[in-house]
Amino acid sequence: MSSEAPRGWDRKREPEPPPAGGVLWSLAGDVRALLMLPAALTLQVAHPAVGAGVDDHSVFRTDPWGRGERSLRSLQLWVYGGEEAAEEGRRLRKLHRTIQGTDTRGRRYHALSPANYAWVHATGFPIYRHGTRYLVRPLTEAQERALYREWLQVGRILGINDRDMPQSIEEFWPYYRKVLADEIEATVVVEELVATDRPVPPPDRGPLPVRLLLKALWPVLFPPLVRFRRFITIGLMPPDAREAIGLEWTDAQERKLRRFCRVVRAVVPVLPERLRYLPYARRARAAHRMRGTR
């Protein structure tokens, strides 16, 4: 992994991850966060420049499981990676330096231009805020403000300057609504992410017997799985974002989502820690407990 730092990056002042025991610390590693990720990704690529960058440069079509695994690992490092968090931020910026082209509106884009890079980061806050209402519990005002402060810290890890991120919730919502009104659309990548008729290869990660079994059962498993992906992607997207993209959502679907989420809220909290939390989160929580007993 390269240790090259972006221009202007001060190693003496490298940003630290969000605080242990904070709101984001509790949310990001919980398995329920996996259900929120499709909505976050879809909202990101609904921006014409971001969607064009993914359409032109991503391997999400040819290596969907690998890309998903790498994205999840990266996100976990931002929150639970300790000293690795800033290194991961540098790696991502280096990776995005060559991503550029022309978006669907004929405008030149670059992945690291502040407006584009900051939007990819910004989408996490409204998705977490909305998703926790269904899958965990509504955040209190204090928790919501803490979540926003911690998400700003993630932005600094990613190398985004404070001047390019709204610095308070009061500044965030006008910015967010302006992007929804002026930029967001159903890009080609959005349509693919919510489609139920696009082929996806069976998982190629995990133990060989499991992969072979999934490959054999994939024609049966894939149709309901892809319908669920569409359902959870649209359902856990904030209504204003859903409307801006033009994704339909009915009252019947909303009732079904609420029933599903009631089950999730009842089951996940009673799971053992090895099943409730993702690996990076489990290790970070264990280390945090060890430090607390010294």
Side-chain angles (χ1 to χ4, degrees):
M1 182 178 292
S2 171
S3 60
E4 179 184 353
R7 182 179 301 174
W9 191 292
D10 185 351
R11 286 184 177 275
K12 296 180 181 179
R13 300 182 61 188
E14 283 188 340
E16 297 181 352
V23 178
L24 190 56
W25 172 275
S26 299
L27 289 177
D30 190 302
V31 293
R32 287 172 285 190
L34 296 175
L35 295 171
M36 305 180 205
L37 292 181
L41 175 59
T42 302
L43 184 53
Q44 290 168 11
V45 299
H47 189 291
V50 180
V54 171
D55 189 25
D56 294 341
H57 300 275
S58 175
V59 297
F60 82 98
R61 296 185 182 97
T62 56
D63 184 23
W65 301 103
R67 185 186 188 280
E69 182 181 62
R70 292 188 294 273
S71 296
L72 181 59
R73 176 184 180 275
S74 184
L75 189 156
Q76 295 291 290
L77 283 174
W78 307 342
V79 180
Y80 304 107
E83 294 180 357
E84 290 184 77
E87 179 68 22
E88 178 64 8
R90 290 193 293 272
R91 186 190 73 83
L92 288 174
R93 289 187 68 87
K94 183 177 181 181
L95 181 69
H96 286 82
R97 285 177 184 171
T98 59
I99 297 178
Q100 57 188 313
T102 304
D103 70 16
T104 56
R105 302 182 186 182
R107 302 172 300 190
R108 295 292 300 171
Y109 73 82
H110 192 288
L112 290 180
S113 68
N116 302 334
Y117 204 54
W119 172 251
V120 172
H121 163 257
T123 57
F125 174 68
I127 294 295
Y128 272 128
R129 176 180 177 269
H130 185 68
T132 55
R133 292 180 175 183
Y134 286 81
L135 295 166
V136 186
R137 61 182 178 276
L139 298 174
T140 65
E141 181 179 353
Q143 289 172 328
E144 191 171 312
R145 290 183 177 278
L147 174 61
Y148 192 75
R149 288 194 301 271
E150 293 165 15
W151 199 243
L152 284 178
Q153 191 65 15
V154 169
R156 296 179 186 112
I157 288 170
L158 297 177
I160 304 173
N161 292 315
D162 279 358
R163 65 176 178 269
D164 297 320
M165 299 184 290
Q167 291 297 292
S168 68
I169 288 180
E170 286 78 13
E171 295 176 4
F172 175 80
W173 292 118
Y175 153 78
Y176 169 75
R177 295 185 187 105
K178 180 173 175 54
V179 176
L180 292 186
D182 296 348
E183 295 287 346
I184 296 307
E185 62 184 36
T187 63
V188 170
V189 182
V190 167
E191 292 176 353
E192 290 192 36
L193 291 178
V194 298
T196 58
D197 60 351
R198 305 291 176 91
V200 175
D204 56 2
R205 301 298 195 270
L208 179 60
V210 174
R211 283 184 279 136
L212 292 175
L213 180 62
L214 287 173
K215 184 176 181 179
L217 295 177
W218 198 239
V220 176
L221 295 176
F222 177 69
L225 285 175
V226 76
R227 289 195 297 269
F228 176 75
R229 182 188 67 181
R230 175 184 172 87
F231 172 73
I232 207 71
T233 298
I234 300 175
L236 291 182
M237 188 172 293
D240 51 1
R242 189 192 299 150
E243 182 178 353
I245 299 173
L247 299 172
E248 295 184 0
W249 187 249
T250 67
D251 291 342
Q253 288 174 312
E254 179 68 18
R255 290 191 294 270
K256 183 178 180 181
L257 177 67
R258 290 178 182 272
R259 290 194 299 270
F260 169 76
C261 290
R262 280 198 297 270
V263 174
V264 173
R265 287 198 307 269
V267 170
V268 172
V270 300
L271 293 175
E273 186 164 293
R274 71 180 186 278
L275 298 178
R276 180 177 175 182
Y277 293 99
L278 299 171
Y280 275 98
R282 287 202 308 273
R283 290 194 290 270
R285 290 169 65 86
H288 183 57
R289 286 195 297 267
M290 288 293 293
R291 287 192 295 270
T293 60
R294 292 173 183 172

